[in-house]
Amino acid sequence: NNHTPMLIIDAKTKKIDDVNLAACNYYGYSRGKLINMYITDINALEKEEIEKEIEKAKNENRKFFRFKHKLSNGDIMDVEVYSGPINIDNRDLLFSIIHDSQEKIELERKYRKSKIYFDSLFDNSPEAIAIVNKDFKVLDVNNGFQNVFLYDLKDIKGKDLTELLCEETLYDTSYSFRESIKKGKFVKKEVKRKRKDGRLLDLLLLGFPLILDGETIAAYCVYSDIKEVKEKDKQIELLTKRDILTGLFNRKFFLNELDKRILKNKEENRIEEKIAVIVISINEFKEITEA
């Protein structure tokens, strides 16, 4: 009455000696038909492949085998066979329990495929990526991380990422970031982090929590170099506020700053306080800047 397919096989002849009802239902044969068949009629692998699998099981000291079994309708199924010897009336028999592993095999394939995608993205990403546990201890880093921060994984695995990359003055803001990650929040912020040689880097930090059953178990920390962005921002600021030729603040910046100072005096009720503006005339300055 067991719902798991079971076979009793003659160890010498490989003829099927007995089966349960679940085996008949699984393979699609009547009991009378099955007990007149040999296990090789069901096993879809070639003889050499069967022997290879048996030899592998022996070397690994395991009692189960991975085979492909053929059903009566022609379908080929991945199965795991748990088999052990029994002796009845001086006959050496094999008692085999059959588990359909088709779904398991498919899940394993999907997992391997996903892992290949992840490993390729992780290893080849130009961004510096660190994987940390819930206590922010380093689990893994990619090549980009090693290139940016100059650390090898073997030197930092298990170490606290905050203490590794942050100056002590930045601990408070970093621990605030960690608390947000622990609460399952995605975090994006500009930070300063130090390399192995002590040099400080301007970086964009993305924190991705990994959540299992409602609990953050790990996190990805992705660091992007924003040095070029910072430089462009400075250039834009320079073009907006200063004269390109002389580097002096331009008229627009001066007037904006003057408006701010006047507004500040009004807000602080310092209306009586005078603001002095000195105009300096430089001979032929306009001709120089327009040349």
Side-chain angles (χ1 to χ4, degrees), residues 118-167:
F118 170 78
D119 288 346
S120 179
L121 178 63
F122 181 72
D123 293 334
N124 299 308
S125 173
E127 314 295 342
I129 305 175
I131 304 176
V132 297
N133 65 13
K134 63 179 181 179
D135 298 316
F136 266 69
K137 300 293 177 61
V138 176
L139 299 175
D140 199 2
V141 297
N142 71 341
N143 295 327
F145 186 96
Q146 297 179 44
N147 294 334
V148 170
F149 293 106
L150 310 180
Y151 285 108
D152 289 329
L153 177 61
K154 65 179 187 299
D155 298 326
I156 61 174
K157 190 169 185 178
K159 292 186 178 181
D160 189 295
L161 189 64
T162 299
E163 296 176 4
L164 193 71
L165 303 183
C166 291
E167 292 190 320

Side-chain angles (χ1 to χ4, degrees), residues 147-265:
N147 294 334
V148 170
F149 293 106
L150 310 180
Y151 285 108
D152 289 329
L153 177 61
K154 65 179 187 299
D155 298 326
I156 61 174
K157 190 169 185 178
K159 292 186 178 181
D160 189 295
L161 189 64
T162 299
E163 296 176 4
L164 193 71
L165 303 183
C166 291
E167 292 190 320
E168 197 168 338
T169 54
L170 299 174
Y171 279 7
D172 288 344
T173 56
S174 182
Y175 281 113
S176 174
F177 162 79
R178 288 165 61 149
E179 287 303 311
S180 297
I181 292 294
K182 284 184 178 180
K183 292 176 182 177
K185 297 179 181 179
F186 164 74
V187 182
K188 177 182 179 181
K189 61 185 299 187
E190 290 186 13
V191 298
K192 285 188 177 291
R193 293 293 184 264
K194 64 178 179 179
R195 301 193 314 187
K196 186 178 182 180
D197 59 7
R199 178 185 169 189
L200 283 178
L201 305 174
D202 289 309
L203 301 165
L204 178 66
L205 170 58
L206 303 178
F208 299 89
L210 295 176
I211 300 172
L212 179 65
D213 297 330
E215 180 183 356
T216 299
I217 59 169
Y220 294 111
C221 295
V222 183
Y223 300 88
S224 302
D225 190 345
I226 55 173
K227 181 181 178 181
E228 291 186 7
V229 176
K230 289 282 187 181
E231 290 296 328
K232 287 180 180 178
D233 287 343
K234 287 181 181 178
Q235 290 177 10
I236 292 172
E237 182 181 9
L238 183 64
L239 292 172
T240 304
K241 297 181 178 180
R242 296 179 183 270
D243 178 77
I244 299 175
L245 181 63
T246 63
L248 298 174
F249 288 110
N250 59 29
R251 183 189 300 272
K252 182 179 179 182
F253 175 76
F254 167 75
L255 294 175
N256 285 338
E257 287 298 307
L258 185 60
D259 286 341
K260 289 179 184 177
R261 193 65 56 89
I262 294 171
L263 183 61
K264 184 178 179 182
N265 278 9

Side-chain angles (χ1 to χ4, degrees), residues 102-122:
Q102 193 73 26
E103 184 177 355
K104 179 182 175 182
I105 295 293
E106 288 301 320
L107 288 174
E108 287 177 350
R109 284 174 184 160
K110 288 180 181 179
Y111 168 76
R112 288 197 299 270
K113 189 175 180 180
S114 297
K115 191 174 187 305
I116 288 171
Y117 288 155
F118 170 78
D119 288 346
S120 179
L121 178 63
F122 181 72

Side-chain angles (χ1 to χ4, degrees), residues 53-64 66:
E53 178 63 22
I54 292 173
E55 189 63 29
K56 185 179 177 182
K58 287 180 180 177
N59 293 336
E60 295 175 2
N61 195 26
R62 56 183 169 89
K63 301 296 183 184
F64 74 94
R66 292 186 178 93

Side-chain angles (χ1 to χ4, degrees), residues 274-285:
K274 303 295 183 181
I275 296 175
V277 176
I278 300 176
V279 180
I280 300 175
S281 179
I282 300 176
N283 292 338
E284 298 180 355
F285 180 75

